[in-house]
């Protein structure tokens, strides 16, 4: 598998990064995890507009899904080659309604489903192209899912947005790469079931036995170096900060 960080800023785009979006590729198949603010523009640095094969939306907060509205425009109104065939989109219950409401002026109530083939995510194991994926509900104010993507004996786990979660820890068990949110600062913010801080991300990775930790979804108002140091204090494996354009071969 190849993982490319398209965007990694939390809550809103920073001057350096779009919001959450991660491209996973294997055997010529392209799966996008989330499409937050600014992600569609950045995605085109790494992939053609019409080259995605599936999209997974961890939850329906704007910083993880709002550029799906812009992507709807690109697919619905495409003139060169005609309208695109429906693209599989996996998301929580109500994803189609959320995107239609966010767009606000689709030609009809069913227009989103003319270019996106919506699938409702629940805790389960299923196939997306060449990938075996496992999804688990995590701790966030809205319905939110973490995902484990496996291919050819290798594994990638993406936390989505979550507070401390036993389900996430189990999902990340022995993962080759754990892409984990770290939005809060240890000792500063403490709101249960919302976000992790760097220390909690490191503790989760350590307990899960993950082989590599990449911290992501750090908002512009949070000092990423503090979160990095906090994670390293409790996790002995390699840990780094996600950065736009960075790629990982698994």
């Amino acid at each position: 598998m190849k993982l490319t960080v398209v965007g990694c800023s939390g809550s809103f785009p920073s001057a350096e990064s779009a919001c959450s979006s991660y491209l996973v590729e294997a055997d010529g198949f392209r799966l996008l995890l989330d499409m937050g603010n600014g992600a569609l523009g950045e995605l085109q640095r790494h992939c053609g507009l019409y080259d995605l094969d599936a999209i997974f939306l961890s939850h329906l907060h704007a910083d993880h899904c709002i550029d799906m509205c812009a992507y709807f425009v690109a697919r619905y109104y495409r003139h060169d080659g005609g309208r695109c065939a429906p693209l599989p989109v996996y998301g929580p219950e109500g994803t189609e309604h959320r995107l239609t409401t966010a767009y606000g002026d689709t030609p009809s109530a069913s227009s989103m489903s003319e270019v996106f083939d919506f699938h409702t995510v629940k805790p389960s194991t299923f196939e997306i192209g060449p990938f075996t994926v496992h999804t688990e509900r995590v701790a966030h104010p809205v319905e939110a899912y973490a995902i484990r993507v496996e291919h050819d004996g290798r594994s990638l786990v993406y936390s989505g947005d979550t507070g401390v979660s036993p389900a996430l820890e189990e999902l990340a068990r022995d993962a080759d790469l754990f892409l984990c949110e770290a939005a809060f600062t240890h000792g500063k913010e403490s709101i249960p079931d919302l976000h992790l801080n760097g220390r909690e991300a490191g503790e989760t990775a350590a307990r899960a036995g993950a082989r590599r930790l990449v911290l992501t979804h750090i908002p512009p108002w949070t000092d990423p170096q503090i979160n990095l140091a906090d994670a390293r204090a409790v996790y002995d494996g390699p840990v780094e900060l996600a950065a736009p354009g960075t790629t990982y071969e698994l």
Side-chain angles (χ1 to χ4, degrees), residues 23-93:
L23 181 63
V24 185
E25 301 173 80
D27 296 346
F29 191 96
R30 295 180 175 93
L31 168 64
L32 191 71
L33 309 179
D34 284 343
M35 192 184 280
N37 316 46
L40 183 61
E42 288 300 311
L43 178 65
Q44 293 171 72
R45 299 179 185 273
H46 312 288
C47 174
L49 264 180
Y50 307 107
D51 292 338
L52 289 178
D53 296 292
I55 297 172
F56 170 84
L57 299 176
S58 63
H59 65 293
L60 300 178
H61 280 156
D63 59 327
H64 292 258
C65 74
I66 201 63
D67 265 30
M68 290 291 291
C69 291
Y71 197 38
F72 165 78
V73 172
R75 297 186 70 85
Y76 191 88
Y77 295 104
R78 180 188 183 194
H79 296 293
D80 184 11
R83 184 176 297 171
C84 299
L87 178 74
V89 174
Y90 300 83
E93 189 168 355

Side-chain angles (χ1 to χ4, degrees), residues 176-242:
D176 292 294
L177 191 150
F178 183 23
L179 182 63
C180 187
E181 76 118 279
F184 283 167
T185 303
H186 177 61
K188 181 182 177 184
E189 300 111 335
S190 181
I191 304 172
D193 299 335
L194 184 57
H195 289 298
L196 298 169
N197 58 46
R199 183 180 182 87
E200 290 167 335
E203 289 171 339
T204 301
R207 289 193 298 265
R211 296 181 178 89
R212 186 175 192 175
L213 174 62
V214 178
L215 302 178
T216 193
H217 194 271
I218 299 176
W221 55 61
T222 297
D223 185 343
Q225 294 302 321
I226 293 176
N227 287 18
L228 181 62
D230 287 345
R232 285 174 171 165
V234 294
Y235 173 67
D236 292 335
V239 55
E240 61 196 271
L241 299 169

Side-chain angles (χ1 to χ4, degrees), residues 152-174:
D152 198 23
R154 307 290 282 177
S155 56
L156 159 70
V157 173
Y158 169 48
S159 67
D161 279 8
T162 181
V164 174
S165 168
L168 176 62
E169 181 180 325
E170 189 55 39
L171 197 69
R173 184 76 55 201
D174 299 323

Side-chain angles (χ1 to χ4, degrees), residues 77-114:
Y77 295 104
R78 180 188 183 194
H79 296 293
D80 184 11
R83 184 176 297 171
C84 299
L87 178 74
V89 174
Y90 300 83
E93 189 168 355
T95 295
E96 180 179 2
H97 176 73
R98 173 75 170 95
L99 297 179
T100 301
T101 302
Y103 190 88
D105 190 27
T106 54
S108 74
S110 62
S111 293
M112 281 283 173
S113 62
E114 293 179 37

